[in-house]
Amino acid sequence: MHFEVDMKMDLRRLVALNALAEKTFRRGQMLVFRLVMLALGGWLSWTAGRTLLAEGIRFDQTCKLLTGLLVLAIGLFTNTIRAWLNQMTIIPDGKLSFGEKFFTEKSKYQKTQHRYSDIFALKSYRGYDFMFLDKQRSLILAPDGISFCTPEELRRLIEEKSGKQFESVK
């Protein structure tokens, strides 16, 4: 029995991965980050906007306003911005091959074998399945990239070999 999954890292999949990681592993940390960014961006934008309206256009206040708006955008669109930045550093294509004793991650530059016991968590989110090897490293299993089996058969194999169950995250 040999199954394969094509890994294509597009922006949509990376946004889903970042949102899932935030919901499952970094909820408190990201909540504090977003609140700080929104408060700081709101304060910068408000004070600069009031000064610009009262005193007219000034370079320092215009820069402060633009900085405030940028910080607000970071607070509001964190997952999309992180996915866009990750897209520049992640190897975009590769394959996962699943065998009896281990699974192999193959890319253009490297080949890594993992034991099924290395799997930290299995999650399903936004139509994708995610295998977390730890809190910082995961692999995306997209249904359209699976060869030689159905997504359900692959899920059963992974659950059986790892001893963990896929958890659906809303």
Side-chain angles (χ1 to χ4, degrees), residues 1-4 97-103 116 147-149 152-158 160-161:
M1 163 174 37
H2 182 76
F3 301 141
E4 284 192 351
S97 299
F98 295 88
E100 284 297 320
K101 298 185 181 196
F102 54 85
F103 62 97
Y116 288 101
S147 313
F148 308 116
C149 70
E152 291 78 24
E153 290 173 324
L154 182 59
R155 277 190 210 106
R156 272 196 305 275
L157 171 80
I158 295 169
E160 177 186 308
K161 298 291 183 182

Side-chain angles (χ1 to χ4, degrees), residues 13-23 26 79 82-83 86:
R13 292 176 184 173
L14 291 172
V15 168
L17 173 62
N18 283 318
L20 175 64
E22 180 178 327
K23 284 178 176 245
R26 297 189 287 266
N79 290 329
R82 287 178 58 213
N86 288 345

Side-chain angles (χ1 to χ4, degrees), residues 2-16:
H2 182 76
F3 301 141
E4 284 192 351
V5 177
D6 287 327
M7 294 188 306
K8 303 236 185 273
M9 300 296 176
D10 59 9
L11 186 63
R12 187 176 185 189
R13 292 176 184 173
L14 291 172
V15 168

Side-chain angles (χ1 to χ4, degrees), residues 25-54:
F25 302 123
R26 297 189 287 266
R27 183 176 292 279
Q29 174 188 1
M30 290 307 295
L31 180 63
V32 170
F33 174 79
R34 285 178 188 264
L35 288 174
V36 167
M37 289 291 123
L38 292 172
L40 181 62
W43 177 78
L44 285 170
S45 300
W46 176 258
T47 57
R50 283 184 45 188
T51 305
L52 284 171
L53 287 175

Side-chain angles (χ1 to χ4, degrees), residues 18-165:
N18 283 318
L20 175 64
E22 180 178 327
K23 284 178 176 245
T24 55
F25 302 123
R26 297 189 287 266
R27 183 176 292 279
Q29 174 188 1
M30 290 307 295
L31 180 63
V32 170
F33 174 79
R34 285 178 188 264
L35 288 174
V36 167
M37 289 291 123
L38 292 172
L40 181 62
W43 177 78
L44 285 170
S45 300
W46 176 258
T47 57
R50 283 184 45 188
T51 305
L52 284 171
L53 287 175
E55 300 175 11
I57 295 178
R58 289 182 18 206
F59 179 75
D60 61 332
Q61 293 304 312
T62 304
C63 290
K64 187 176 176 182
L65 177 63
L66 292 175
T67 302
L69 293 175
L70 180 64
V71 171
L72 274 173
I74 290 170
L76 291 172
F77 306 109
T78 302
N79 290 329
T80 304
I81 293 168
R82 287 178 58 213
W84 181 72
L85 292 171
N86 288 345
Q87 205 172 21
M88 294 185 286
T89 60
I90 290 178
I91 298 169
D93 297 322
K95 278 195 185 302
L96 286 174
S97 299
F98 295 88
E100 284 297 320
K101 298 185 181 196
F102 54 85
F103 62 97
T104 306
E105 180 184 0
K106 294 181 239 175
S107 72
K108 185 177 178 181
Y109 305 105
Q110 68 182 20
K111 179 179 176 181
T112 308
Q113 287 186 339
H114 304 281
R115 295 184 311 270
Y116 288 101
S117 60
D118 292 342
I119 297 173
F120 174 72
L122 298 171
K123 307 282 183 183
S124 294
Y125 183 67
R126 292 187 185 173
Y128 301 110
D129 292 331
F130 297 89
M131 291 189 330
F132 284 89
L133 301 176
D134 57 39
K135 289 184 178 183
Q136 301 296 320
R137 183 169 155 78
S138 66
L139 301 169
I140 301 173
L141 308 173
D144 59 350
I146 298 174
S147 313
F148 308 116
C149 70
T150 65
E152 291 78 24
E153 290 173 324
L154 182 59
R155 277 190 210 106
R156 272 196 305 275
L157 171 80
I158 295 169
E159 288 176 343
E160 177 186 308
K161 298 291 183 182
S162 69
K164 295 181 172 39
Q165 299 293 314

